[in-house]
Amino acid sequence: MPTTPRPERSGAVRRSRPVARFALAAALLTGSLAVTTAPTYAVTGTPDSTNGYTYTAQVVVGDAMRGCSAVLVDRDWLLTAASCFAEAPAQSLAVPPGKPRLKTTATIGRTDLGTNQGAVRDIVELVPRTDRDLALARLSRPVTEVTPIPLAGAAPTAGEELRFAGYGRTTTDWAPVKLHTGALTVGAPSATSATYTGKDGAAACMGDAGGPVVRTVNGAHQLVALNSRSYQGSCFGIATTETRTGGVVTRVDDLASWVESKVVATSITDFNCDGAEDIAIGDPKATVGGKASAGVIRVVYGDGKGTAEITQDLDWVPGDAEADDWFGEVIDAVDHDEDGCTDLVVGVPAEDLGSAVDAGVVDVLHGARGGIGTGAATLHLEQGTGSGAVAAAASQSGDRMGHAVAAGRTSAGEPYLLIGVPGQNSGSLAKAGMVFYLRGKTNTSVTQNSPNVPGGDEAGDGFGTSVAADGSHLAVGAPAETVGGHAGAGSVWTFGHTVGADGIPTPLAGITQDSDALSGGSEAGDEFGATLAMADYTTAGPATATESVLAIGSPGEGLSVDNVNRAETGRVIAVRITATGTYSQLNSFWQGTNEDGVSGASEPGDHFGDQIAIVNTAPRAQSTAATMRIAVGVSGEDIGSAPDAGAVQTFSLLGAPGNSDLWIAPGSAGIPGSPGTDQYVGHNIHFTGTKLYVGMPYGPSSYGSLHALPMSNAIAGGTVAQVTTYQPGTGGLPPVGDRFGHSAR
């Protein structure tokens, strides 16, 4: 193909007659992405009458100023042209990773834009390539109505005939209503692209950039390339003297492993939506404005983009910093408003409201391109205000709303919040406990008196002391529950996300240590359910997980070891929950004896299970012993002459504990220093898909610290890599604080 003139990028800005631009914008406001007049079709392609290209998407950037096409390659991801998002595509295809600069909407599976078939999603994250006109685009929610197209494994060859599809212009239409397709013949392939010539007069036009170029093998489509540039012969708005139908496509056949690595990765915390991982660290005992233990949260933005301090004295954070608020005691993170920026969920259970001491509140602090606090207004949740069950309740002393929070997304991608209120009274029953469940329009409360929930409210149960959730299930702990006459034996309840006619998530089971499926038995002071952690469990992949693994901690559990009772040594049980809600024991974790295969030995006061973190490092694949990990905090562990030094032990959730355990303490696994008295290591631990965070708020630093261990450091036999340490006075963090590292997300 001649190099002069250069083919134009088919995703260029749509700039033309004001009437056409107005028509497109007006149609967008009514939910249609094309003009409403009936289209005519010409040599640039024919309408797709077979519905065989439903994986094709129309992309509209900004206020309908730029339109492109794309292709669904995963339920959460599109492939499209980077030029669709570049500031000046004729000069550079450089696109920053993260949230698109302008609001961008994708319509997937709607081959006729005049219908309501398929799905409409926002594009909330871009992962661009630097070597070709290509970007992965993450959707705000999964698309389950349309089957993604697989990537081809073989390069296009000279002379090969392929078909392309797109929503771009035709000869006579500025914005056609129907997806159109055409055939092309490959010219000369290169490492990242290939030239082509349209067959029978077909050509890619403005708006076709990012559309699929497809090979058919045994009746099935494979994605070979994407539309990128074209001479646009006979396209609407192009001079009639231009008759060439050739152009350039971007190859994708060599990118299967790159695409796979991105689409199966666990989500990261990204408060400023730039594609780099951030971390929020709670210091609830910090002094703010002279108010002792008012509390502060410090944010460290990834890629060296600075730090931020969040307190209740900021204008955009509800309330005021007050002594003993302990702001930052409880935190979690999720993209609650589905805009591509992670939001920080903060439980402040020690917040006083008027005369109600320790009534508690929960705030959702929204992430934004400029960082937390620069975008949407904070969502403030306080009993007696707002809407739904939260508004119907009343704040009372000792409620401790937000004592535990779990934030995440259902398997359908919908954000949810599960909030524990363990001090809530039930009539005359003090501290029976309650939880709030918020998802979409659902704003409901659940107690042990709710329909079909096993048991009943009792004084002092503390239902909601602990909570956990994943895409399929919810769990609520009441470690103070009396079971079989044993005070403080503890219980756990499981639920499904589906909300029934009674307005609450579906109750599934009540679990105690007396349950037939579990080993052991309920005893006074076990505190079964004091800590909970949950992760998606996939039995056959790739698929959407419908099962869960729930880890239940009993830090007060007394065990007989070598015929000697070890009080409050602690134990953790891992439970598998099926799609129907049945459960069975997967594993029991405890330190055992000096002679068994598990590191350490059960000793009085170890409190094994004081905290638990679990992770599925490959949630889109079949779960294995290598991908399912658990970290257990042993905050009361004595090490040498240092009482209550604390430690962390990691295991495979699915393998034999003695074959996979790793002992982690200062001086090991890359954590600097040595064990010290009353350090209580293991009191704060948190897994991500790539790291284990270990908080050390009790020293040796007078401020506290947090250590980010690469996953290899947290696996038995793994390579010990460099640990990242966050500590006041370093890395841009001010040299102040008291309990830094108490919480982290």
Side-chain angles (χ1 to χ4, degrees):
M1 173 178 293
T3 57
T4 303
R6 183 183 181 188
E8 295 290 337
R9 297 198 181 275
S10 46
V13 175
R14 298 184 183 225
R15 300 186 187 276
S16 189
R17 302 169 299 179
V19 172
R21 285 176 55 189
F22 176 79
L24 180 58
L28 278 168
L29 293 174
T30 62
S32 172
L33 298 181
V35 292
T36 56
T37 55
T40 57
Y41 301 101
V43 294
T44 48
T46 58
D48 173 32
S49 60
T50 66
N51 273 338
Y53 299 82
T54 54
Y55 44 73
T56 309
Q58 187 198 51
V59 175
V60 175
V61 180
D63 188 20
M65 289 298 294
R66 185 177 293 182
C68 294
S69 300
V71 55
L72 188 73
V73 294
D74 176 83
R75 66 193 189 104
D76 290 292
W77 293 86
L78 301 172
L79 271 178
T80 188
S83 54
C84 194
F85 302 92
E87 289 288 332
Q91 285 76 47
S92 171
L93 296 182
V95 176
K99 184 177 179 178
R101 184 178 62 86
L102 301 173
K103 179 178 173 60
T104 304
T105 303
T107 303
I108 307 102
R110 189 171 295 176
T111 56
D112 183 341
L113 297 173
T115 70
N116 61 359
Q117 69 184 111
V120 179
R121 300 286 188 268
D122 286 344
I123 290 177
V124 295
E125 181 185 3
L126 298 175
V127 183
R129 295 281 298 195
T130 58
D131 62 342
R132 63 193 79 183
D133 183 15
L134 187 80
L136 267 168
R138 181 167 63 87
L139 301 170
S140 54
R141 286 195 189 179
V143 173
T144 58
E145 306 94 325
V146 180
T147 301
I149 183 175
L151 271 63
T157 58
E160 181 179 12
E161 183 175 315
L162 303 171
R163 290 198 69 85
F164 69 88
Y167 288 92
R169 308 175 192 177
T170 63
T171 295
T172 57
D173 246 10
W174 174 269
V177 172
K178 293 186 178 182
L179 176 72
H180 53 263
T181 67
L184 60 82
T185 302
V186 177
S190 69
T192 60
S193 63
T195 60
Y196 72 88
T197 301
K199 187 177 179 181
D200 299 327
C205 297
M206 294 282 190
D208 285 333
V213 178
V214 175
R215 175 187 292 135
T216 302
V217 179
N218 297 325
H221 289 185
Q222 299 176 352
L223 184 65
V224 179
L226 302 181
N227 289 321
S228 178
R229 287 173 286 168
S230 170
Y231 287 113
Q232 303 184 74
S234 300
C235 294
F236 187 95
I238 300 299
T240 56
T241 55
E242 179 58 79
T243 60
R244 289 172 294 182
T245 60
V248 178
V249 297
T250 299
R251 286 179 52 188
V252 302
D253 57 277
D254 60 328
L255 298 180
S257 60
W258 176 75
V259 170
E260 180 75 5
S261 70
K262 302 298 181 183
V263 303
V264 304
T266 54
S267 60
I268 63 170
T269 297
D270 184 8
F271 298 120
N272 59 352
C273 37
D274 64 351
E277 188 168 6
D278 307 323
I279 181 71
I281 307 164
D283 187 345
K285 208 168 183 302
T287 297
V288 178
K291 311 294 179 55
S293 300
V296 64
I297 297 171
R298 302 200 182 278
V299 177
V300 180
Y301 293 108
D303 278 354
K305 293 183 179 176
T307 65
E309 175 181 287
I310 304 174
T311 75
Q312 289 181 295
D313 275 348
L314 296 174
D315 291 342
W316 51 274
V317 180
D320 297 294
E322 299 168 315
D324 298 320
D325 276 351
W326 280 63
F327 181 78
E329 179 182 359
V330 180
I331 61 176
D332 207 346
V334 67
D335 183 4
H336 188 261
D337 57 3
E338 301 182 88
D339 68 344
C341 308
T342 305
D343 306 317
L344 184 64
V345 183
V346 183
V348 197
E351 179 79 21
D352 299 343
L353 297 172
S355 61
V357 178
D358 293 347
V361 298
V362 172
D363 291 318
V364 180
L365 311 179
H366 291 292
R369 194 181 299 278
I372 295 181
T374 65
T378 295
L379 172 63
H380 180 66
L381 300 171
E382 174 185 323
Q383 295 185 86
T385 67
S387 61
V390 175
S395 294
Q396 299 173 321
S397 292
D399 280 352
R400 286 190 62 82
M401 178 182 177
H403 180 89
V405 298
R409 299 168 75 88
T410 68
S411 57
E414 188 173 15
Y416 62 80
L417 296 175
L418 183 63
I419 301 168
V421 195
Q424 179 78 26
N425 298 338
S426 177
S428 62
L429 301 175
K431 302 185 185 307
M434 177 177 71
V435 296
F436 290 117
Y437 177 67
L438 288 79
R439 176 173 60 84
K441 296 181 179 179
T442 298
N443 181 326
T444 191
S445 61
V446 182
T447 72
Q448 290 187 70
N449 276 347
S450 295
N452 301 313
V453 176
D457 285 341
E458 296 172 317
D461 279 352
F463 181 84
T465 296
S466 58
V467 297
D470 65 4
S472 301
H473 299 105
L474 313 164
V476 180
E481 173 93 8
T482 297
V483 180
H486 301 294
S491 299
V492 175
W493 289 260
T494 59
F495 301 82
H497 282 287
T498 300
V499 175
D502 50 22
I504 68 169
T506 306
L508 298 175
I511 306 173
T512 73
Q513 290 192 87
D514 285 343
S515 301
D516 291 340
L518 303 189
S519 59
S522 296
E523 298 170 315
D526 279 350
E527 296 184 311
F528 180 77
T531 51
L532 300 173
M534 186 180 284
D536 295 322
Y537 180 60
T538 306
T539 55
T544 301
T546 58
E547 300 193 4
S548 307
V549 173
L550 170 64
I552 306 171
S554 305
E557 178 89 20
L559 298 172
S560 179
V561 181
D562 294 333
N563 298 317
V564 177
N565 185 56
R566 316 286 174 150
E568 298 185 27
T569 183
R571 184 174 79 136
V572 174
I573 292 177
V575 174
R576 173 183 174 184
I577 306 173
T578 68
T580 60
T582 61
Y583 67 93
S584 58
Q585 181 172 312
L586 279 176
N587 241 324
S588 174
F589 301 94
W590 59 302
Q591 288 187 321
T593 70
N594 284 320
E595 285 74 37
D596 64 17
V598 177
S599 300
S602 295
E603 299 290 345
D606 278 350
H607 294 137
F608 183 90
D610 175 56
Q611 288 294 327
I612 315 170
I614 65 177
V615 68
N616 183 344
T617 60
R620 302 288 296 279
Q622 183 171 351
S623 299
T624 67
T627 61
M628 301 291 291
R629 310 293 307 176
I630 180 171
V632 180
V634 197
S635 61
E637 181 76 26
D638 298 342
I639 301 178
S641 60
D644 294 333
V648 176
Q649 283 187 266
T650 67
F651 306 86
S652 166
L653 269 168
L654 306 181
N659 294 336
S660 62
D661 75 302
L662 177 69
W663 179 271
I664 299 175
S668 66
I671 297 179
S674 58
T677 298
D678 295 339
Q679 288 182 350
Y680 303 106
V681 175
H683 190 67
N684 170 35
I685 49 178
H686 174 60
F687 260 129
T688 68
T690 59
K691 298 180 181 70
L692 172 64
Y693 287 94
V694 178
M696 294 184 63
Y698 299 96
S701 166
S702 59
Y703 306 125
S705 58
L706 176 74
H707 304 284
L709 282 63
M711 188 62 73
S712 60
N713 294 37
I715 297 174
T719 301
V720 177
Q722 181 67 41
V723 168
T724 301
T725 295
Y726 302 93
Q727 184 172 298
T730 65
L733 296 167
V736 292
D738 196 317
R739 203 76 52 96
F740 180 90
H742 177 90
S743 56
R745 284 295 184 272

